[in-house]
Amino acid sequence: MTIDYTQLYIDGRWADASTSATIAVHAAATEERLGSVPEAAERDIDDAVAAARHQFDDPDGWSRWEPARRREALERFAVALEKRAEETARRVSLQNGMPIAVAQQFEGGFPALLLRYYAGLVADSPQEETRQGMLGGSARVIREPIGVVGAIVPWNVPQGITFLKLAPALAAGNTVVLKPAPETVLDAMLMAEAAIEADLPPGVLNVVPGGREIGAYLVAHPDIDKVSFTGSTAAGRAIAETCGRLLRPVTLELGGKSAAIVLDDADLASTIESFFAATLLNNGQICWLGTRVLAPRSRYDQVVDIVTGLASSLIIGDPLQPTTQVGPLVSARQRDRVESYIAKGRDEGARLTTGGNRPEGLDQGWYLQPTVFADVDNGHTIAQEEIFGPVLSLIPYSDEDEAIRIANASDYGLGGSVWTADPERGEAVARRVRTGSIGINAYVNDPVAPFGGVRASGMGRELGPEALHSYQVLKTVYLDPSAQA
Ligand code: NAD
């Protein structure tokens, strides 16, 4: 049975699309057709933005509600999402190949958690303060919502990434037009069902599936006040150019090529599960993964053996099986792309220690073996470009200074990790890596702390109170001096 939607979620209800165009979705593990949704055209984006604008500008609307009232609405949304958590995880896993155990956490659980975190943050902490001035008067400094947010998300962690944006944006009082990626739209429509059940006011959230042209149209739409994008660096640059021209605030979470630095005292075997999660999770399709593994020459062969042993022992297969550790890639196009990097790694003289091929016995689906290259030079293409698949590059280094130099010799700077028996030494190394976030003997994005990149990995931060502030604008009211005398 396929899952077919015939309408878009605009202005708080299911609405006919302006054309009959549809987006078909296929299962990563079987290549079968999973379902379809209407493809939004420019007129649908216009309608969605108008609905979001109308709600935002309503003097009694969402943006003017007391935070406690928005919190109640977002709590209803969280409950409606939790009711659908299993199905959300299942749909994501079917669409993009994410192992179900990961999907239950990132896609099923994370959205409700983020909604509650941000709704609570806004309701429980003052959004304005009065400052005694230096010139005799005083000023009220108020955090206001920015307006209508255009949110554009990729297919790799579709619901998790969606709520990195929706939760702070909605809690702050903004309204949102969301454009999901064409590869993963069935989870977005299920989220729309939850929004309807939660009775979110019309226009607070709108979902308009489509490809890059419609995404670009949304970014440049005259009634959008802020853009939030996660995806490739190439698309991020194009979006940044548009936003620059329009002087439109933008948050960009882009690609990465992070370093997992194994220090010479590390007991990698004892932290292998965390190492797996920090380097190969979600079939290698996460932007912050440490896909350059930096190994000390003094223990190089041992590290190569451990990482090779890990990659070759992972359970590959049906992403819906709870024991599966590596599922298929999202699409034939993505697998072709990853395979072209594997060919390049071979051409450039790196030593393949495991993988490199499609696994035997899995003829249907876009599967690829977890792959490890040793003896990679940091200048090689496979060490510099984001592959977005289960491919690790092992790079030898001589001492800590060289490890840090290699880690920092990248256009990107998003995640990373340090592996060591000495947490203090690990932190000292972590502080020297130019990146937005880095973990010691693990890498986990905790909602309370900001996450984002430097250089080609993007601008701005998600998570933490910092993300909330990126959906707010500061207004100062200089208070009447005579009233204070
Ligand atoms: P992409 O960046 O092209 O697409 C991501 C989202 O942006 C999609 O919703 C897409 O429709 C939209 N989009 C693309 N171009 C746009 C534009 N100019 N204006 C507005 N919206 C636009 O990513 P992709 O083609 O799906 O994947 C290509 C590569 O990007 C991957 O192989 C991977 O390296 C990288 N990627 C990174 C992330 C990440 O989280 N950092 C996520 C997905 C893909």
Side-chain angles (χ1 to χ4, degrees):
M1 208 180 67
T2 60
I3 306 166
D4 295 286
Y5 287 86
T6 56
Q7 292 180 301
L8 302 171
Y9 176 57
I10 293 176
D11 206 15
R13 60 189 175 82
W14 294 112
D16 287 337
S18 63
T19 76
S20 57
T22 58
I23 297 172
V25 187
H26 292 89
T30 62
E31 305 176 30
E32 284 165 6
R33 191 175 170 284
L34 273 176
S36 65
V37 302
E39 181 173 10
E42 290 184 3
R43 248 193 63 197
D44 304 308
I45 300 279
D46 292 343
D47 290 349
V49 175
R53 176 94 266 151
H54 184 76
Q55 176 62 236
F56 186 83
D57 290 345
D58 181 346
D60 300 317
W62 182 255
S63 63
R64 303 297 184 99
W65 285 14
E66 285 297 316
R69 189 172 169 204
R70 281 203 298 271
R71 183 188 206 165
E72 280 171 22
L74 295 177
E75 175 59 28
R76 290 196 305 273
F77 193 18
V79 169
L81 287 166
E82 280 172 332
K83 273 207 247 170
R84 293 164 177 80
E86 273 304 310
E87 177 62 7
T88 300
R90 195 183 77 89
R91 286 191 188 184
V92 171
S93 184
L94 282 167
Q95 293 172 111
N96 72 3
M98 181 184 290
I100 190 72
V102 180
Q104 282 161 344
Q105 197 189 340
F106 284 14
E107 307 291 281
F110 218 43
L113 182 145
L114 289 174
L115 280 176
R116 291 193 175 110
Y117 169 61
Y118 281 106
L121 211 55
V122 177
D124 295 339
S125 51
Q127 298 306 311
E128 60 181 67
E129 60 177 290
T130 307
R131 294 187 194 164
Q132 191 56 50
M134 300 168 74
L135 306 176
S138 58
R140 198 100 71 211
V141 180
I142 306 164
R143 288 188 185 279
E144 297 187 333
I146 293 185
V148 178
V149 174
I152 298 177
V153 297
W155 43 262
N156 60 327
V157 189
Q159 284 303 296
I161 291 173
T162 291
F163 279 86
L164 290 184
K165 305 179 188 314
L166 288 191
L170 296 180
N174 301 281
T175 56
V176 178
V177 177
L178 171 76
K179 192 207 79 62
E183 294 85 351
T184 47
V185 280
L186 300 177
D187 52 293
M189 295 314 236
L190 189 60
M191 180 203 67
E193 288 180 28
I196 289 174
E197 183 177 300
D199 203 18
L200 290 189
V204 163
L205 174 61
N206 307 270
V207 182
V208 282
R212 64 185 52 198
E213 287 80 17
I214 216 65
Y217 182 76
L218 176 64
V219 167
H221 197 287
D223 254 340
I224 291 290
D225 298 301
K226 149 117 195 171
V227 173
S228 184
F229 171 77
T230 299
S232 63
T233 294
R237 280 189 210 283
I239 289 168
E241 281 180 23
T242 303
C243 290
R245 182 165 46 80
L246 297 170
L247 295 179
R248 186 162 290 175
V250 59
T251 299
L252 299 167
E253 295 294 347
L254 309 177
K257 194 72 196 179
S258 302
I261 305 174
V262 182
L263 296 182
D264 54 13
D265 63 353
D267 180 5
L268 209 51
S270 76
T271 51
I272 202 72
E273 276 182 34
S274 299
F275 185 81
F276 165 68
T279 56
L280 284 164
L281 201 67
N282 195 25
N283 321 327
Q285 299 177 143
I286 306 185
C287 45
W288 47 252
L289 291 171
T291 49
R292 288 185 297 149
V293 179
L294 276 43
R297 285 191 196 280
S298 59
R299 291 182 53 203
Y300 184 65
D301 291 343
Q302 194 193 4
V303 174
V304 172
D305 282 352
I306 292 173
V307 176
T308 302
L310 166 69
S312 59
S313 67
L314 295 169
I315 301 168
I316 312 173
D318 179 358
L320 290 180
Q321 284 297 323
T323 49
T324 293
Q325 291 168 295
V326 180
L329 299 184
V330 66
S331 62
R333 181 178 79 120
Q334 188 64 15
R335 183 172 64 179
D336 288 348
R337 200 183 124 93
V338 177
E339 285 181 329
S340 76
Y341 277 112
I342 292 173
K344 194 152 260 166
R346 286 189 161 115
D347 289 350
E348 286 181 325
R351 174 164 60 96
L352 188 76
T353 66
T354 184
N357 297 306
R358 300 179 181 185
E360 277 177 32
L362 291 168
D363 300 330
Q364 293 291 304
W366 299 297
Y367 287 97
L368 198 58
Q369 290 172 329
T371 298
V372 176
F373 281 105
D375 308 347
V376 177
D377 183 281
N378 195 51
H380 285 167
T381 307
I382 58 166
Q384 286 297 316
E385 295 187 11
E386 182 174 52
I387 298 176
F388 232 59
V391 182
L392 298 183
S393 294
L394 275 155
I395 305 171
Y397 71 83
S398 299
D399 57 28
E400 239 174 67
D401 283 346
E402 190 186 15
I404 289 157
R405 254 197 321 276
I406 295 172
N408 289 341
S410 169
D411 288 343
Y412 295 108
L414 187 58
S417 51
V418 185
W419 303 84
T420 173
D422 178 351
E424 279 180 28
R425 185 178 171 209
E427 186 172 347
V429 170
R431 284 173 182 266
R432 294 177 64 194
V433 179
R434 253 188 295 166
T435 186
S437 59
I438 184 163
I440 297 156
N441 291 331
Y443 181 95
V444 178
N445 293 137
D446 194 292
V448 303
F451 163 74
V454 298
R455 293 178 287 175
S457 292
M459 302 191 307
R461 292 291 178 268
E462 298 197 298
L463 293 175
E466 292 78 6
L468 181 65
H469 297 162
S470 78
Y471 291 98
Q472 294 174 316
V473 65
L474 290 167
K475 177 189 282 176
T476 296
V477 179
Y478 304 111
L479 298 177
D480 180 351
S482 64
Q484 299 165 58

